[in-house]
Each structure stands twice: as C-alpha cells, then as structure tokens.
Amino acid sequence: MKYMFEVRIKEGYSAEDYADAWVRASELIQQAPGARGTELHRKIEDPNTLIAIASWDSKAARDAMESDKDPRITDIIRSAAPFVEIRPLGEFEDPEWVVMPPGGPNREH
C-alpha cells in the first residue's frame, strides 16, 4: 500500500532542505516491520512542489509504526513543518493489475 502527500515548499526553504529531513526521518521509519521504502518526486516546472510516497506491506503495518513511533521521527518532522505545507493525497492499495509495454522490464521474454 502507498501513502501519498503533496509537499509545497515555502519561500526561503528549498526542496533539498526538505529532502534532507525526509531522508533522516525515512531512515528511522524504514526500520519498522512492513516498511517498503519512500520516494520524493519533484513536480515538473514547479521545483517547490513535491509528491511524497511511502510504501508499506499493509495499513496495519503503517498504523503499528505510528502507534509506537520513535520520538526522533516526530522531532525531524516538526523541524521541517514550519517550512512546508503538506496535503495528504490519500492511502492507496497496491494495484490489482499493472499494464506494462511488451518487452518491458517486468516481462518475460
């Protein structure tokens, strides 16, 4: 499952500053059972807007991490909070199907 957020960087802060905080928090979060990784994507033609994606085995795994969160994670998130606006985009199940072009990286020959 994926948790997705839009991150808007406020003036005077940079996407690189936010990425530093994101990586530091993610390194701790990824130690939790069920964590599958995180990604940040910069919006084309708007370097101050990012999409943040956190992947998990299940909603239960993510909820378990949240209920027993390392306080360092909260501290990192709070340190960046004044410099960004975060809008949750939602929680998404893994896809029921994936359509890949013939001969793509996930296709057998």
Side-chain angles (χ1 to χ4, degrees), residues 17-91:
D17 292 330
Y18 182 75
D20 176 66
W22 173 267
V23 168
R24 287 185 291 120
S26 291
E27 287 173 340
L28 298 170
I29 292 167
Q30 292 308 301
Q31 296 173 27
R36 290 188 184 173
T38 62
E39 304 173 46
L40 277 178
H41 299 262
R42 196 183 307 249
K43 187 174 183 180
I44 295 172
E45 298 182 13
D46 184 356
N48 292 320
T49 299
L50 310 171
I51 291 289
I53 303 168
S55 298
W56 290 85
D57 285 346
S58 66
K59 181 170 176 13
R62 170 111 183 337
D63 291 349
M65 181 280 301
E66 284 290 333
S67 70
D68 190 27
K69 189 187 299 181
D70 183 325
R72 295 176 295 173
I73 297 168
T74 302
D75 291 343
I76 293 166
I77 292 169
R78 280 188 186 142
S79 73
F83 309 105
V84 296
E85 294 175 12
I86 297 178
R87 181 173 62 101
L89 298 177
E91 304 170 355

